Amino acid sequence: MTPNQSRQYGVEIIGSGNGLPAKRLTNADLVKMMDTSEEWIVQRTGIEERRVTDWDNGEKTATLATKALRNAVDDAGIKPGDLDLIIVATMTPNMPTPSVSCLVAADLGCTGIAAIDFNAACSGFVFSISAVHELIKGGMFKTVGLIGADCLTQHIDYSTEGRTASILFGDGASAVILRRTDDLSKGLISHAMHADGGGSDILLIPADKNDHPDPANCLDREVGRVFMNGPAVFKFAVKKFPEVIQETLDLAGLDADQIDHFICHQANARILEAARKRFGLSEEKLRININKYGNTVAASCPLVYNELCTDGSIKPGQRIMFIAFGAGLTWGASLWQL
Ligand code: COA
């Protein structure tokens, strides 16, 4: 399709759907695998259980992403053939190439359409939804399937040595369908996207020992596994999370009480509670579902969005803000008029 420079379009979110693995990993399961306790995990993170893929038997990121997009397409009342672009936000593709989006397109029979993966770690979905908005608004694409999908448990050390990171993460995928509309009132109101590679050493997956912040002391078992300086990431998140919300509100000229839902990356319930307090938000306005899924990286925000849609909390005409932060370091927000 040729971009139409002469006019612009509104953008609406017309459907959503999840793709979650069936297998659950509870805190009680973790207690059997490492030196930890159910109380410690719940108190420090708010997490009760997470989902885990059966990777060795072929249940991988693309499996979950395909399931999520199929459910979102059904929810939107369209057909896979109506999509002209599939984007997957992920940092855990099945393999370096082909992309997850190409695998999803093939699974859904969407031969010949555009397919791209975006990697901004936990901020991937939030960065992508702002970018997709611009692609549709300018006329380049009409109906886009955007999926956040990650399987970080492939990169987790479930021994006591890895317990700081392993308790946090779970696998999952969740998708939305975005479509062009002639109603110009619908779409992005404001956004913020930030990155600081100078902070890459506090949250990473080293591909070899040279990537590790302390190469000389990097152990074999740490290669390919999540390395996280928990307190440093916590400090970064508690600072940037409210900052980026305020920045996005200021750009829109709106106050927090004019936003109906803050759809936040689920990294730690304590970080979310701090943001709730800072902006005086009710539990209805800032949903926390980390207890069920843990931190699902790029799938985290759309999983909350889907939950709010499914239980009827999200209604046409509302204003919603997606917010995330993560490795890179990256952080951003995307404010929408539905
Ligand atoms: N079970 C029991 N004890 C644990 C543990 C676990 N799973 N993990 C760490 N500990 C211990 C530590 O060994 C340490 O013991 P010590 O005092 O004897 O040395 C103690 O608990 C405190 O460790 P610390 O890392 O300072 O804990 P914390 O209060 O910072 O909590 C996190 C750890 C990971 C929950 C917290 O730092 C966090 O949430 N950080 C942000 C992580 C995040 O959001 N990452 C994703 C970003 S997208």
mmCIF file of all heavy atoms in Angstrom, residues 253-274:
data_model
loop_
_atom_site.group_PDB
_atom_site.id
_atom_site.type_symbol
_atom_site.label_atom_id
_atom_site.label_comp_id
_atom_site.label_asym_id
_atom_site.label_seq_id
_atom_site.Cartn_x
_atom_site.Cartn_y
_atom_site.Cartn_z
ATOM 1 N N GLY A 253 -1.130 17.400 28.047
ATOM 2 C CA GLY A 253 -1.845 18.451 28.774
ATOM 3 C C GLY A 253 -2.970 17.890 29.623
ATOM 4 O O GLY A 253 -4.015 18.521 29.791
ATOM 5 N N LEU A 254 -2.756 16.687 30.164
ATOM 6 C CA LEU A 254 -3.792 16.027 30.974
ATOM 7 C C LEU A 254 -3.262 15.722 32.373
ATOM 8 O O LEU A 254 -2.050 15.627 32.590
ATOM 9 C CB LEU A 254 -4.224 14.711 30.306
ATOM 10 C CG LEU A 254 -4.936 14.829 28.956
ATOM 11 C CD1 LEU A 254 -5.046 13.458 28.290
ATOM 12 C CD2 LEU A 254 -6.328 15.452 29.115
ATOM 13 N N ASP A 255 -4.201 15.560 33.307
ATOM 14 C CA ASP A 255 -3.842 15.139 34.659
ATOM 15 C C ASP A 255 -4.131 13.638 34.818
ATOM 16 O O ASP A 255 -4.935 13.081 34.065
ATOM 17 C CB ASP A 255 -4.686 15.893 35.704
ATOM 18 C CG ASP A 255 -4.334 17.372 35.713
ATOM 19 O OD1 ASP A 255 -3.143 17.691 35.519
ATOM 20 O OD2 ASP A 255 -5.267 18.191 35.868
ATOM 21 N N ALA A 256 -3.527 13.038 35.842
ATOM 22 C CA ALA A 256 -3.708 11.597 36.065
ATOM 23 C C ALA A 256 -5.187 11.232 36.237
ATOM 24 O O ALA A 256 -5.621 10.164 35.797
ATOM 25 C CB ALA A 256 -2.906 11.153 37.279
ATOM 26 N N ASP A 257 -5.963 12.123 36.860
ATOM 27 C CA ASP A 257 -7.377 11.765 37.086
ATOM 28 C C ASP A 257 -8.213 11.824 35.801
ATOM 29 O O ASP A 257 -9.384 11.455 35.803
ATOM 30 C CB ASP A 257 -7.997 12.610 38.213
ATOM 31 C CG ASP A 257 -7.937 14.093 37.920
ATOM 32 O OD1 ASP A 257 -7.576 14.463 36.791
ATOM 33 O OD2 ASP A 257 -8.255 14.893 38.836
ATOM 34 N N GLN A 258 -7.604 12.278 34.697
ATOM 35 C CA GLN A 258 -8.313 12.266 33.411
ATOM 36 C C GLN A 258 -8.011 11.001 32.599
ATOM 37 O O GLN A 258 -8.451 10.869 31.466
ATOM 38 C CB GLN A 258 -7.930 13.515 32.595
ATOM 39 C CG GLN A 258 -8.434 14.817 33.233
ATOM 40 C CD GLN A 258 -7.903 16.044 32.501
ATOM 41 O OE1 GLN A 258 -6.746 16.413 32.630
ATOM 42 N NE2 GLN A 258 -8.764 16.648 31.701
ATOM 43 N N ILE A 259 -7.232 10.097 33.192
ATOM 44 C CA ILE A 259 -6.897 8.827 32.524
ATOM 45 C C ILE A 259 -7.711 7.715 33.192
ATOM 46 O O ILE A 259 -7.785 7.640 34.416
ATOM 47 C CB ILE A 259 -5.378 8.507 32.664
ATOM 48 C CG1 ILE A 259 -4.524 9.707 32.242
ATOM 49 C CG2 ILE A 259 -5.013 7.241 31.893
ATOM 50 C CD1 ILE A 259 -4.759 10.234 30.846
ATOM 51 N N ASP A 260 -8.320 6.855 32.364
ATOM 52 C CA ASP A 260 -9.182 5.815 32.931
ATOM 53 C C ASP A 260 -8.400 4.579 33.394
ATOM 54 O O ASP A 260 -8.782 3.957 34.385
ATOM 55 C CB ASP A 260 -10.230 5.410 31.887
ATOM 56 C CG ASP A 260 -11.162 6.572 31.582
ATOM 57 O OD1 ASP A 260 -11.971 6.904 32.463
ATOM 58 O OD2 ASP A 260 -11.039 7.169 30.502
ATOM 59 N N HIS A 261 -7.347 4.226 32.645
ATOM 60 C CA HIS A 261 -6.562 3.044 33.046
ATOM 61 C C HIS A 261 -5.086 3.261 32.779
ATOM 62 O O HIS A 261 -4.712 3.677 31.673
ATOM 63 C CB HIS A 261 -7.013 1.792 32.279
ATOM 64 C CG HIS A 261 -8.431 1.423 32.526
ATOM 65 N ND1 HIS A 261 -8.845 0.802 33.685
ATOM 66 C CD2 HIS A 261 -9.542 1.613 31.784
ATOM 67 C CE1 HIS A 261 -10.147 0.614 33.630
ATOM 68 N NE2 HIS A 261 -10.600 1.103 32.496
ATOM 69 N N PHE A 262 -4.265 2.970 33.780
ATOM 70 C CA PHE A 262 -2.810 2.942 33.622
ATOM 71 C C PHE A 262 -2.427 1.469 33.484
ATOM 72 O O PHE A 262 -2.530 0.709 34.463
ATOM 73 C CB PHE A 262 -2.123 3.575 34.835
ATOM 74 C CG PHE A 262 -2.349 5.062 34.912
ATOM 75 C CD1 PHE A 262 -3.501 5.591 35.489
ATOM 76 C CD2 PHE A 262 -1.408 5.940 34.382
ATOM 77 C CE1 PHE A 262 -3.706 6.956 35.548
ATOM 78 C CE2 PHE A 262 -1.613 7.312 34.432
ATOM 79 C CZ PHE A 262 -2.769 7.817 35.023
ATOM 80 N N ILE A 263 -2.046 1.084 32.263
ATOM 81 C CA ILE A 263 -1.780 -0.328 31.975
ATOM 82 C C ILE A 263 -0.270 -0.523 32.028
ATOM 83 O O ILE A 263 0.453 -0.191 31.091
ATOM 84 C CB ILE A 263 -2.387 -0.709 30.605
ATOM 85 C CG1 ILE A 263 -3.904 -0.475 30.669
ATOM 86 C CG2 ILE A 263 -2.045 -2.148 30.241
ATOM 87 C CD1 ILE A 263 -4.621 -0.634 29.373
ATOM 88 N N CYS A 264 0.188 -1.026 33.176
ATOM 89 C CA CYS A 264 1.615 -0.974 33.496
ATOM 90 C C CYS A 264 2.294 -2.324 33.365
ATOM 91 O O CYS A 264 1.705 -3.359 33.709
ATOM 92 C CB CYS A 264 1.791 -0.522 34.946
ATOM 93 S SG CYS A 264 1.094 1.086 35.267
ATOM 94 N N HIS A 265 3.553 -2.258 32.948
ATOM 95 C CA HIS A 265 4.405 -3.445 32.941
ATOM 96 C C HIS A 265 4.449 -4.035 34.353
ATOM 97 O O HIS A 265 4.690 -3.322 35.330
ATOM 98 C CB HIS A 265 5.813 -3.061 32.494
ATOM 99 C CG HIS A 265 6.786 -4.176 32.597
ATOM 100 N ND1 HIS A 265 6.519 -5.447 32.116
ATOM 101 C CD2 HIS A 265 8.038 -4.245 33.140
ATOM 102 C CE1 HIS A 265 7.550 -6.224 32.357
ATOM 103 N NE2 HIS A 265 8.478 -5.526 32.977
ATOM 104 N N GLN A 266 4.218 -5.339 34.430
ATOM 105 C CA GLN A 266 4.133 -6.014 35.718
ATOM 106 C C GLN A 266 5.512 -6.599 36.058
ATOM 107 O O GLN A 266 5.834 -7.723 35.681
ATOM 108 C CB GLN A 266 3.086 -7.127 35.656
ATOM 109 C CG GLN A 266 1.724 -6.670 35.135
ATOM 110 C CD GLN A 266 0.902 -5.934 36.173
ATOM 111 O OE1 GLN A 266 0.668 -6.454 37.251
ATOM 112 N NE2 GLN A 266 0.456 -4.727 35.847
ATOM 113 N N ALA A 267 6.333 -5.801 36.739
ATOM 114 C CA ALA A 267 7.682 -6.252 37.094
ATOM 115 C C ALA A 267 7.767 -6.617 38.560
ATOM 116 O O ALA A 267 8.488 -7.536 38.939
ATOM 117 C CB ALA A 267 8.705 -5.179 36.770
ATOM 118 N N ASN A 268 7.055 -5.867 39.384
ATOM 119 C CA ASN A 268 7.090 -6.091 40.824
ATOM 120 C C ASN A 268 5.912 -5.312 41.421
ATOM 121 O O ASN A 268 5.757 -4.114 41.146
ATOM 122 C CB ASN A 268 8.425 -5.578 41.382
ATOM 123 C CG ASN A 268 8.575 -5.875 42.861
ATOM 124 O OD1 ASN A 268 7.633 -5.699 43.631
ATOM 125 N ND2 ASN A 268 9.749 -6.317 43.256
ATOM 126 N N ALA A 269 5.085 -5.981 42.215
ATOM 127 C CA ALA A 269 3.900 -5.325 42.773
ATOM 128 C C ALA A 269 4.277 -4.097 43.601
ATOM 129 O O ALA A 269 3.540 -3.111 43.646
ATOM 130 C CB ALA A 269 3.096 -6.315 43.618
ATOM 131 N N ARG A 270 5.468 -4.133 44.229
ATOM 132 C CA ARG A 270 5.873 -2.990 45.071
ATOM 133 C C ARG A 270 6.147 -1.754 44.208
ATOM 134 O O ARG A 270 5.857 -0.633 44.612
ATOM 135 C CB ARG A 270 7.121 -3.353 45.887
ATOM 136 C CG ARG A 270 6.819 -4.324 47.022
ATOM 137 C CD ARG A 270 8.023 -4.467 47.933
ATOM 138 N NE ARG A 270 9.125 -5.111 47.249
ATOM 139 C CZ ARG A 270 10.420 -4.881 47.494
ATOM 140 N NH1 ARG A 270 10.776 -4.008 48.404
ATOM 141 N NH2 ARG A 270 11.358 -5.531 46.847
ATOM 142 N N ILE A 271 6.705 -1.953 43.004
ATOM 143 C CA ILE A 271 6.953 -0.828 42.091
ATOM 144 C C ILE A 271 5.611 -0.243 41.639
ATOM 145 O O ILE A 271 5.426 0.978 41.567
ATOM 146 C CB ILE A 271 7.788 -1.292 40.867
ATOM 147 C CG1 ILE A 271 9.163 -1.781 41.326
ATOM 148 C CG2 ILE A 271 7.917 -0.180 39.824
ATOM 149 C CD1 ILE A 271 9.997 -2.477 40.249
ATOM 150 N N LEU A 272 4.645 -1.106 41.365
ATOM 151 C CA LEU A 272 3.323 -0.661 40.917
ATOM 152 C C LEU A 272 2.582 0.069 42.044
ATOM 153 O O LEU A 272 1.928 1.088 41.811
ATOM 154 C CB LEU A 272 2.514 -1.855 40.405
ATOM 155 C CG LEU A 272 3.097 -2.522 39.155
ATOM 156 C CD1 LEU A 272 2.452 -3.877 38.898
ATOM 157 C CD2 LEU A 272 2.931 -1.638 37.938
ATOM 158 N N GLU A 273 2.703 -0.464 43.251
ATOM 159 C CA GLU A 273 2.053 0.186 44.405
ATOM 160 C C GLU A 273 2.627 1.589 44.614
ATOM 161 O O GLU A 273 1.898 2.529 44.952
ATOM 162 C CB GLU A 273 2.249 -0.638 45.689
ATOM 163 C CG GLU A 273 1.575 -2.002 45.702
ATOM 164 C CD GLU A 273 0.052 -1.946 45.789
ATOM 165 O OE1 GLU A 273 -0.503 -0.841 45.811
ATOM 166 O OE2 GLU A 273 -0.560 -3.030 45.780
ATOM 167 N N ALA A 274 3.941 1.725 44.405
ATOM 168 C CA ALA A 274 4.583 3.035 44.584
ATOM 169 C C ALA A 274 4.017 4.042 43.572
ATOM 170 O O ALA A 274 3.750 5.203 43.913
ATOM 171 C CB ALA A 274 6.094 2.905 44.425
#
